[in-house]
Amino acid sequence: MLTENNPKQKSFIADLTYRPRRNRKSESIRQLVQEHRLHPSDFVVPLFVIEGSDCTQEISSMPGVYRYTIDCLTKQIDHLMELGIRAVDLFTVVPSERKTADGAEALRRNNLLHQSLQTIKKAFPELCVMVDVALDPYTNHGHDGIVDQNGNILNDETLVILMTMSLLASEYGADVIAPSDMMDGRVAYIRQALDQNGFTDVSICSYAAKYASAFYGPFRDALESAPKFGDKKTYQMNPGNILEALRESSLDEAEGADMLLIKPGLSYLDVLTKVKEQTELPVGIYHVSGEYSMVMAAAEKGWIDADKVFEETLLSMKRAGADFIFTYAAERIAQTLCTLLPKSRY
Ligand code: PBG
């Protein structure tokens, strides 16, 4: 009953001294008290490079994401930089006739990756160019390492190749090596080789906790790199584990990583937060292909607003502790951020 003498009613009125809604009453106040924000310089844009010239191909399972020949890639990067984006991650598409069991194309001097690096660093010296280091785009079986007759992925043999890939990429101008293979010991191995060869300034962003995920499907379409047999569960992590992610991150840190990466994104925000709590290194997250494509597919059906969902998703990653985000939505979100902020603010 609503009477003055009803004690329950009194305490209810007393609670209304506190009205959190006051801090949400206008857009300007909401902006003022906003705890986390997206900025174009948070993003690392994964870019797919193809051989040839004057060609862009849309990836059918990733609407709005393209493979570029080097000349077109340069134009795209120019556009991304106009939007305030400062970092890219390169993936090369290797024609199937050049894929072999040992991934030898990865070590061929002046291959497509090296040509891309050289051109991009010359045109945009201030851009942070990362390179994904793993064998899967180069092998005919689609695994990230060397495979023996029984289908086992050989850790130590693979390290030698990853190390050589990293040295070559550094020679051609890479700023950051991003090993995505999940072999044991690769960060120490690569770090030592870089240091011994005068590349002390080249950084390592290690995929510290990379899970064996079904969300990588569209990416494997983009590179035609799906494994031809088995799966990646002996090197990528079990989605049921988080302590293992902490251990992997500690090891990579001890081995000399400069930045850590968690992958995929949205389903692993708890991992990001926990890793961020245990390290002083910058920690990023990879909003992967499947996460991007699901949103685009639902948006094409008119079920959700892609830009709003991406913004909310990427913000959740910042809130969970991400210092930087690899995302295919970078361009469109940077575009929406640009309309909010005058260019002089970047
Ligand atoms: C290669 C690599 C993969 C991704 C990034 N680097 C695929 C895989 O491990 O199978 C996935 C990226 C994405 O899905 O967006 N090792």
Side-chain angles (χ1 to χ4, degrees):
M1 243 222 327
L2 301 177
T3 66
E4 254 176 58
N5 302 333
N6 182 334
K8 263 194 181 163
Q9 177 71 5
K10 265 192 176 158
S11 74
F12 183 68
I13 288 169
D15 281 346
L16 285 177
T17 315
Y18 306 102
R19 288 183 181 270
R21 284 187 59 191
R22 277 197 289 265
N23 279 349
R24 297 178 217 133
K25 73 181 168 193
S26 69
E27 187 55 27
S28 46
I29 292 185
R30 288 193 292 274
Q31 289 286 324
L32 197 65
V33 301
Q34 183 162 334
E35 297 167 47
H36 299 278
R37 282 176 214 281
L38 294 170
H39 191 278
S41 62
D42 295 328
F43 303 140
V44 180
V45 187
L47 292 171
F48 299 106
V49 194
I50 46 173
E51 293 181 351
S53 62
D54 194 23
C55 177
T56 56
Q57 299 171 344
E58 190 166 23
I59 297 157
S60 58
S61 54
M62 301 178 74
V65 178
Y66 298 82
R67 304 182 188 95
Y68 300 90
T69 53
I70 295 176
D71 50 343
C72 295
L73 186 66
T74 312
K75 290 185 197 129
Q76 173 64 4
I77 293 176
D78 204 34
H79 172 60
L80 295 173
M81 290 188 74
E82 277 282 300
L83 296 173
I85 288 169
R86 295 278 168 267
V88 299
D89 186 25
L90 298 182
F91 295 92
T92 45
V93 182
V94 181
S96 57
E97 65 275 12
R98 215 111 30 82
K99 297 189 188 211
T100 54
D102 62 359
E105 176 66 13
L107 302 184
R108 187 174 63 80
R109 261 186 187 282
N110 206 31
N111 68 17
L112 185 60
L113 175 69
H114 305 150
Q115 291 172 30
S116 325
L117 274 169
Q118 216 162 25
T119 308
I120 293 168
K121 281 308 295 183
K122 195 164 168 213
F124 310 100
E126 70 282 26
L127 178 73
C128 168
V129 182
M130 302 198 182
V131 167
D132 192 271
V133 167
L135 266 185
D136 53 325
Y138 300 95
T139 52
N140 52 15
H141 44 70
H143 279 286
D144 293 34
I146 297 294
V147 181
D148 73 8
Q149 304 97 308
N150 304 321
N152 298 315
I153 317 300
L154 302 177
N155 194 86
D156 304 9
E157 288 76 354
T158 302
L159 292 186
V160 185
I161 298 174
L162 299 173
M163 175 196 78
T164 316
M165 286 172 79
S166 304
L167 286 175
L168 281 166
S170 303
E171 207 181 296
Y172 283 92
D175 296 293
V176 181
I177 301 296
S180 71
D181 52 285
M182 291 298 282
M183 296 299 135
D184 292 337
R186 86 264 202 234
V187 174
Y189 214 78
I190 293 171
R191 182 71 270 159
Q192 283 168 34
L194 292 176
D195 290 350
Q196 282 165 15
N197 287 275
F199 298 116
T200 49
D201 283 346
V202 174
S203 319
I204 298 180
C205 172
S206 81
Y207 285 70
K210 176 173 180 179
Y211 287 86
S213 169
F215 287 107
Y216 306 149
F219 172 95
R220 293 174 185 172
D221 284 348
L223 289 193
E224 291 163 8
S225 64
K228 298 287 185 305
F229 67 88
D231 53 41
K232 299 193 175 186
K233 291 181 185 170
T234 66
Y235 42 110
Q236 299 181 353
M237 285 174 44
N238 179 344
N241 293 352
I242 186 163
L243 292 175
E244 192 183 2
L246 299 182
R247 181 165 147 72
E248 282 281 6
S249 302
S250 306
L251 284 171
D252 286 4
E253 180 167 357
E255 290 179 27
D258 300 284
M259 309 168 208
L260 303 175
L261 191 62
I262 309 301
K263 179 180 178 183
L266 206 46
S267 309
Y268 297 86
L269 294 185
D270 56 330
V271 179
L272 168 67
T273 304
K274 280 260 167 64
V275 169
K276 185 71 189 155
E277 280 167 9
Q278 83 162 12
T279 183
E280 285 153 13
L281 292 180
V283 183
I285 195 158
Y286 200 137
H287 175 232
V288 301
S289 57
E291 301 180 73
Y292 172 87
S293 299
M294 287 194 305
V295 173
M296 293 303 286
E300 272 178 14
K301 287 193 175 271
W303 292 344
I304 57 173
D305 179 323
D307 282 339
K308 290 196 172 125
V309 171
F310 282 136
E311 201 172 333
E312 191 175 331
T313 303
L314 300 177
L315 206 47
S316 77
M317 294 170 177
K318 290 287 294 272
R319 201 182 60 233
D323 295 297
F324 53 94
I325 307 172
F326 286 58
T327 176
Y328 303 95
E331 180 180 348
R332 51 192 305 150
I333 296 308
Q335 217 129 29
T336 67
L337 294 172
C338 264
T339 60
L340 298 174
L341 286 175
K343 186 128 189 295
S344 57
R345 293 280 302 278
Y346 291 130

